[in-house]
Amino acid sequence: MAFTRQEILNRLEAQVKAGRPIVGCGAGTGISAKFAEAGGADLIIIYNSGRYRMAGRGSLAGLMPYGDANAIVVEMASEVLPVVKNTPVLAGVCGTDPFRLMPVFLKQLKEIGFSGVQNFPTVGLIDGNFRANLEATGMGYDKEIAMIKLAHEMDLFTSPYVFDEDQAKAMAEVGADILVAHVGLTTSGSIGAGVALSLDEAIDRTMRMAEAGRKVRKDLMVICHGGPFDEPENVGVALKRMPGVVGFFGASSIERLPVERAIRSQVEAFKSLTLA
């Protein structure tokens, strides 16, 4: 079922007041979404990388020309939305897509049953000359900011990824409800990123983004994502060192890593049996 922006905010604020972290969960399949909800997820987010991730490919496949990202999230909706009963589901929107009339597309997502949006795929994960050329040719992060602004004006809940202080400030200014401080791809597992910040570096970067966003709005909620924020133990340690950061968003951490371990251990258990 779809939720209004205010209903979601009320739920999340109640969690924080009760001393419990907000946990957002990426879902690439219906079963991931179903059991994320069973585990108590506060938000479920679906986007094209979830499909690639659960097909055994790296999350960066979502930034490559392997499919229409916005069309894929609409396809995934038919798998996820019917099995999620009482948790807001957000759509990952490629805000730089030059083939979408964004007001029409966001209206479509709302009518399908999404309660909000996140900016993914995002050029925030791209750097160097390629990033500079994307920005110069009208496919830059500013389009993602504009998408979040439009979604906010349509009363959709918004939880954008931000990668630095300027982006945190800009997203706060256009009305983002939660900032997701992104510190890089998750490192653990068979297809995790090979390069990442240390936990200390990730904490420092997250705090700088949080402080920048809260200079715009003091009540702005901030959660962390990516890099060494991969396991409950690491996130628990980090949250204690990040006052004002009120939760965690997990994608690979929520669905890929548990699946990798569970299937492998189950097969190993069967293989350890002996014939009579």
Side-chain angles (χ1 to χ4, degrees):
M1 66 179 281
F3 293 80
T4 68
R5 174 176 168 271
Q6 192 57 54
E7 285 172 337
I8 299 172
L9 286 170
N10 291 345
R11 281 181 163 216
L12 300 183
E13 288 166 1
Q15 290 291 311
V16 175
K17 286 179 182 177
R20 293 188 292 267
I22 294 168
V23 177
C25 301
T29 65
I31 197 167
S32 297
K34 183 176 183 177
F35 286 94
E37 179 173 54
D42 297 298
L43 300 167
I44 293 172
I45 302 94
I46 64 175
Y47 46 71
N48 70 331
S49 272
R51 172 171 287 184
Y52 296 126
R53 180 168 53 243
M54 298 310 286
R57 276 67 179 182
S59 294
L60 283 179
L63 275 69
M64 297 297 285
Y66 305 147
D68 180 337
N70 285 329
I72 288 171
V73 80
V74 172
E75 291 173 11
M76 292 171 70
S78 64
E79 183 175 345
V80 170
L81 291 176
V83 300
V84 176
K85 303 304 182 184
N86 196 40
T87 305
V89 180
L90 313 186
V93 176
C94 182
T96 60
D97 186 345
F99 299 101
R100 287 290 188 288
L101 294 171
M102 201 51 66
V104 176
F105 184 58
L106 292 179
K107 182 181 178 183
Q108 178 188 6
L109 294 176
K110 195 170 186 178
E111 289 173 348
I112 288 171
F114 285 105
S115 300
V117 298
Q118 186 173 59
N119 55 323
F120 196 92
T122 171
V123 299
L125 286 168
I126 301 170
D127 57 16
N129 289 333
F130 185 40
R131 172 66 177 276
N133 281 299
L134 286 172
E135 298 285 349
T137 53
M139 293 176 281
Y141 191 84
D142 62 307
K143 295 293 189 297
E144 299 178 27
I145 296 170
M147 182 275 290
I148 293 295
K149 181 176 187 294
L150 180 59
H152 175 71
E153 291 168 352
M154 295 174 66
D155 205 36
L156 284 161
F157 183 84
T158 55
S159 62
Y161 280 133
V162 296
F163 299 83
D164 60 35
E165 294 98 312
D166 289 341
Q167 293 173 5
K169 181 174 179 290
M171 285 296 193
E173 287 172 344
V174 298
D177 294 303
I178 283 188
L179 296 184
V180 184
H182 198 310
V183 296
L185 298 180
T186 303
T187 53
S188 297
S190 64
I191 50 174
V195 178
L197 302 175
S198 69
L199 188 60
D200 286 343
E201 291 169 332
I203 288 170
D204 177 67
R205 185 173 293 185
T206 299
M207 289 303 295
R208 284 190 277 114
M209 287 188 270
E211 289 162 8
R214 283 198 288 264
K215 285 180 181 177
V216 178
R217 293 208 324 271
K218 290 183 179 179
D219 62 342
L220 183 65
M221 289 185 282
V222 181
I223 63 177
C224 61
H225 172 73
F229 301 136
D230 52 3
E231 301 287 357
E233 295 78 13
N234 287 341
V235 173
V237 168
L239 288 176
K240 287 181 170 57
R241 294 175 54 189
M242 297 189 294
V245 175
V246 295
F248 165 73
F249 171 60
S252 293
S253 301
I254 294 292
E255 60 174 357
R256 174 175 64 82
L257 298 181
V259 165
E260 288 182 6
R261 295 166 185 155
I263 292 177
R264 178 174 180 169
S265 64
Q266 186 78 337
V267 172
E268 288 173 345
F270 279 113
K271 287 296 293 181
S272 69
L273 302 175
T274 58
L275 299 175

